[in-house]
């Protein structure tokens, strides 16, 4: 049964038209996921469903007695109220009494254990979880969630996924967590160029159905172009419009010519940008960090390899972001060392963008223009396509010419995150640190980012709760466990959880109680016999495991000396041919161009051989 609809709506902000005479509906019991690139109006659509915004044109129709609850992207609170007090006051206003036990249980589930803490002391993520707790405690017919998985760790995301799958009301949500979207939704709604497209499927089914829709649109357009060509030939022959039939045919031609073809999606383009990396990368030795009696990191040692793809996972507050800030020098550590190679250039994509100038690397001035924010980083950047200006790079990141002169404060949250990502890449780093990169970035941007990371020539370090992103981009996981221990697992997030299942364990949910005062444990390393190793044996085993050749590296190592020899032989042959070519300048130019190309390839092969040989020697030294 249809319980809600927006009929023939139009909505604009200035010159930007978000919705153009389009409609949206909800059936009882549906679970709808809304997707679209940042700036297409996802949050605006949720606001209109919730009744917090009105369309410029069109109608909003709600069935009788339907109750709607809304979790906004950035909830607002009274700072002086305490956590539990606020929850109970909201429930009381809704005539929901005797809810203290349920409220405490929900707050604990969402890791809000200090019921007496003033809301003004909560982080942005904690405030979002507080708003989620409140909206889940109140009964409703339509539940609207804007980015519900942001700031949720894996445990909370898994819990919310099961909760919503078993919930019997109608759900509308915007989320960029593709595993979550695939598991919970049974209909996908896509916003695209002012129109709303509906697909009766989860995310996997949507991908297939969208491809079919685009293929049909392209087939229709090819047919229209073919008819136009035929009609144009007829017109060009000078057809005389002396009969009604001829006039009608001319009119058909004019009508066909006026029709527009399918609008192609704007594609985010990320050209490869990086700085050459030397032998020394980032070396962490016996690192320790505590806040009071809470041990965050205990005796952590790791040497990053060239082209490493590392993911850090763990519960909220375990120390992931603290470790990233130690790597960039914004946070001190208690003991140990972090050695940064001279050629290392780190690009840090922060979890949160702040408007306070004291926010350091995460600061974004809302009062400056988009183009000035980019130019403050670099006027030009060298990519695989050559030297690109700041303005052209902004266009590639879907900020067209007129939008580049808009103030940052007018951008949506997702657009600001995309702009911040552009700033980081404009720095041409060879080490990328991505702290919760999936928060507020749309799925299309994430897909392009993941492809970019596939070809990025450098180290990628990710902190994320997004299981899909970790599976897609990481080859080694470090999990934060009790006592500040970081345990190493090979593969992506699914490989990590599968390993835990084999061991009969679950991901560690760290409790932040008082320290016992005992000496922190070293990283947990498991030997071939399944026993926990300690001391020198553990350290040696961890180095061997970290320095194991990947499949591709082993193939390259086996073949690279022969490839180098072939290149050297061919270059020598070309030099002989250049001498023999005499005054044949055309032939000499061709030989010179081929020789230059082969010399560049040889230099690249030699750098690869140097890296592989260095790694092979480290492996031999520790066997």
């Amino acid at each position: 049964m249809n319980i809600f609809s927006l009929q023939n709506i139009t909505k604009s902000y200035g010159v930007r038209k978000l919705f153009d005479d389009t409609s949206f509906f909800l059936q009882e019991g549906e679970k709808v996921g809304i997707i679209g690139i940042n700036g297409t109006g996802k949050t605006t659509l949720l606001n209109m469903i919730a009744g917090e915004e009105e369309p410029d044109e069109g109608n909003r129709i709600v069935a009788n007695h339907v109750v709607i609850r809304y979790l906004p992207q950035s909830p607002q609170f009274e700072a002086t109220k305490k956590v539990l007090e606020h929850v109970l006051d909201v429930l009381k206003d809704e005539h929901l009494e005797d809810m203290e036990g349920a409220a405490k249980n929900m707050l604990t589930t969402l890791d809000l254990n200090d019921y007496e803490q003033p809301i003004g002391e909560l982080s942005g993520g904690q405030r979002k979880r507080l708003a989620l707790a409140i909206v889940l405690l109140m009964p409703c017919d339509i539940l609207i969630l804007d980015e519900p998985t942001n700031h949720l760790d894996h445990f909370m995301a898994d819990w919310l996924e099961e909760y919503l799958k078993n919930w019997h009301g109608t759900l509308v949500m915007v989320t960029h967590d593709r595993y979550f979207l695939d598991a919970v939704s049974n209909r996908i709604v896509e916003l695209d160029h002012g129109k709303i497209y509906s697909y009766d499927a989860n995310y996997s089914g949507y991908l297939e159905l969208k491809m079919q829709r685009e293929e049909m649109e392209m087939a229709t357009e090819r047919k229209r172009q073919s008819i136009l060509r035929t009609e144009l030939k007829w017109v060009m022959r000078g057809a005389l419009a002396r009969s009604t039939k001829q006039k009608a045919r001319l009119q058909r031609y004019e009508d066909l010519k006026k029709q527009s073809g399918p609008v192609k999606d704007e594609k985010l383009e990320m050209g490869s940008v990086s700085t050459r990396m030397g032998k020394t990368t980032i070396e962490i030795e016996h690192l320790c960090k505590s806040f009071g009696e809470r041990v965050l990191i205990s005796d952590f040692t790791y040497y990053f390899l060239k082209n490493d793809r590392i993911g850090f996972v763990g519960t909220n507050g375990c120390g992931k972001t603290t470790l990233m800030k130690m790597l960039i020098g914004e946070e001190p550590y208690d003991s140990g060392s972090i050695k940064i190679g001279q050629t290392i250039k780190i690009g840090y994509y922060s979890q949160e963008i702040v408007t306070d100038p004291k926010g350091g690397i995460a600061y974004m001035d809302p009062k400056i223009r988009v183009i000035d924010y980019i130019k403050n980083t670099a006027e030009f950047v060298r990519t695989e396509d050559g030297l690109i200006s700041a303005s052209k790079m902004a266009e590639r990141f879907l900020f067209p010419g007129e939008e580049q002169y808009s103030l940052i404060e007018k951008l949506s949250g997702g657009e600001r995150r995309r702009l911040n990502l552009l700033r980081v890449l404009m720095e041409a780093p060879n080490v990328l640190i991505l702290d919760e990169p999936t928060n507020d970035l749309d799925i299309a941007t994430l897909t392009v980012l993941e492809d970019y990371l596939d070809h990025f020539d450098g180290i990628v370090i990710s902190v994320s709760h997004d299981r899909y992103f970790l599976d897609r981009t990481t080859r080694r996981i470090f999990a934060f466990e009790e006592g500040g221990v970081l345990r190493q697992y090979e593969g992506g997030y699914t490989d990590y959880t599968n390993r835990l299942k084999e061991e009969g364990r679950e991901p560690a949910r760290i409790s932040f109680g008082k320290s016992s005062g005992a000496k922190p444990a070293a990283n947990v390393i498991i030997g071939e016999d399944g026993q926990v190793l300690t001391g020198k044996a553990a350290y040696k085993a961890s180095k061997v495991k970290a320095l194991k050749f990947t499949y591709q590296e082993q193939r390259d190592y086996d073949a690279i000396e022969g490839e180098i020899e072939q290149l050297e032989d061919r270059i020598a042959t070309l030099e002989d041919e250049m001498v023999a070519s005499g005054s044949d300048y055309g032939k000499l130019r061709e030989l010179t161009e081929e020789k230059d190309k082969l010399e560049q390839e040889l230099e690249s092969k030699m750098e690869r051989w140097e890296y592989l040989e260095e790694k092979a020697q480290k492996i031999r030294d520790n066997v």
Side-chain angles (χ1 to χ4, degrees), residues 82-111:
K82 296 177 181 178
V83 169
L84 182 60
E85 175 192 10
H86 175 73
V87 174
L88 295 178
D89 284 349
V90 172
L91 295 175
K92 187 176 180 180
D93 290 342
E94 296 291 327
H95 308 291
L96 298 170
E97 307 289 346
D98 301 322
M99 294 283 288
E100 184 171 344
K104 288 181 176 179
N105 183 52
M106 184 67 74
L107 290 171
T108 300
T109 299
L110 295 175
D111 201 23

Side-chain angles (χ1 to χ4, degrees), residues 349-591:
Y349 182 67
S350 175
Q351 181 175 352
E352 291 186 357
I353 296 171
V354 298
T355 55
D356 183 351
K358 297 179 181 178
I361 199 167
Y363 172 61
M364 179 180 279
D365 186 351
K367 297 297 183 182
I368 67 170
R369 299 180 302 178
V370 169
I371 188 63
D372 294 331
Y373 178 74
I374 298 303
K375 284 184 175 180
N376 287 343
T377 300
E379 291 272 359
F380 293 90
V381 65
R382 186 167 298 281
T383 74
E384 58 191 4
D385 301 322
L387 202 62
I388 304 294
S389 69
S391 178
K392 188 65 177 177
M393 285 294 289
E395 286 183 9
R396 289 186 171 192
F397 271 64
L398 306 184
F399 293 103
E402 64 275 9
E403 289 188 17
Q404 293 179 21
Y405 292 90
S406 299
L407 296 180
I408 287 175
E409 65 182 0
K410 294 184 178 180
L411 301 180
S412 70
E415 287 173 316
R416 293 186 193 189
R417 294 279 285 175
R418 192 195 319 142
L419 181 63
N420 187 35
L421 177 61
L422 170 57
R423 177 196 63 79
V424 172
L425 297 183
M426 286 284 286
E427 294 172 349
N430 49 28
V431 175
L432 266 177
I433 298 179
L434 306 174
D435 194 353
E436 294 295 353
T438 61
N439 284 1
D440 298 322
L441 287 182
D442 58 73
I443 291 174
T445 301
L446 288 175
T447 302
V448 176
L449 174 61
E450 288 157 359
D451 182 66
Y452 174 86
L453 296 180
D454 286 343
H455 303 91
F456 178 73
D457 187 17
I459 297 168
V460 180
I461 305 169
S462 301
V463 171
S464 181
H465 294 133
D466 189 316
R467 298 158 294 178
Y468 187 100
F469 182 83
L470 289 172
D471 275 343
R472 180 69 177 78
T473 61
T474 60
R475 297 197 290 265
R476 180 170 297 129
I477 295 286
F478 281 99
F480 281 73
E481 300 188 352
E482 286 286 354
V485 173
L486 276 86
R487 186 173 178 182
Q488 178 179 320
Y489 300 85
E490 297 305 306
Y493 183 78
T494 300
D495 297 312
Y496 155 63
T497 55
N498 287 340
R499 173 68 183 275
L500 293 183
K501 288 176 184 177
E502 291 173 4
E503 298 175 1
R505 301 191 300 125
E506 293 183 353
R509 187 157 197 180
I510 301 171
S511 59
F512 300 116
K514 293 185 177 181
S515 171
S516 64
K519 184 179 178 180
N523 295 0
V524 176
I525 303 295
I526 307 297
E528 294 183 1
D529 59 357
Q531 298 299 311
V532 176
L533 301 179
T534 59
K536 292 183 178 179
Y539 181 66
K540 184 175 180 179
S542 69
K543 288 188 71 178
V544 172
K545 189 173 186 180
L547 294 173
K548 182 179 178 181
F549 269 146
T550 66
Y551 173 75
Q552 186 60 49
E553 286 172 339
Q554 187 63 58
R555 289 188 62 184
D556 290 350
Y557 187 66
D558 293 340
I560 197 165
E561 289 189 2
E563 293 170 351
I564 289 172
E565 186 176 345
Q566 290 177 3
L567 286 169
E568 290 174 335
D569 289 346
R570 177 57 185 160
I571 289 171
T573 302
L574 286 172
E575 289 173 345
D576 293 340
E577 292 178 6
M578 289 168 68
V579 173
S581 64
S583 59
D584 187 347
Y585 296 110
K587 180 68 172 177
L588 184 61
R589 185 174 63 253
E590 290 178 7
L591 293 172

Side-chain angles (χ1 to χ4, degrees), residues 66-80:
V66 167
V67 177
I68 300 175
R69 305 290 185 194
Y70 182 28
L71 172 71
Q73 196 171 62
S74 301
Q76 302 298 317
F77 297 98
E78 187 179 329
T80 56

Side-chain angles (χ1 to χ4, degrees), residues 3 62-68 140-142:
I3 59 174
V62 186
N64 291 334
H65 309 299
V66 167
V67 177
I68 300 175
C140 64
D141 302 292
I142 299 176

Side-chain angles (χ1 to χ4, degrees), residues 68-72 87 90-91 106 110 128-140 142-145 148 160 163 167:
I68 300 175
R69 305 290 185 194
Y70 182 28
L71 172 71
V87 174
V90 172
L91 295 175
M106 184 67 74
L110 295 175
K128 184 66 176 280
R129 298 202 301 274
L130 175 59
L132 178 61
I134 293 170
V135 79
L136 294 180
L137 283 166
M138 295 189 293
C140 64
I142 299 176
L143 178 60
I144 306 171
L145 303 176
L160 182 61
Y163 181 93
W167 189 68

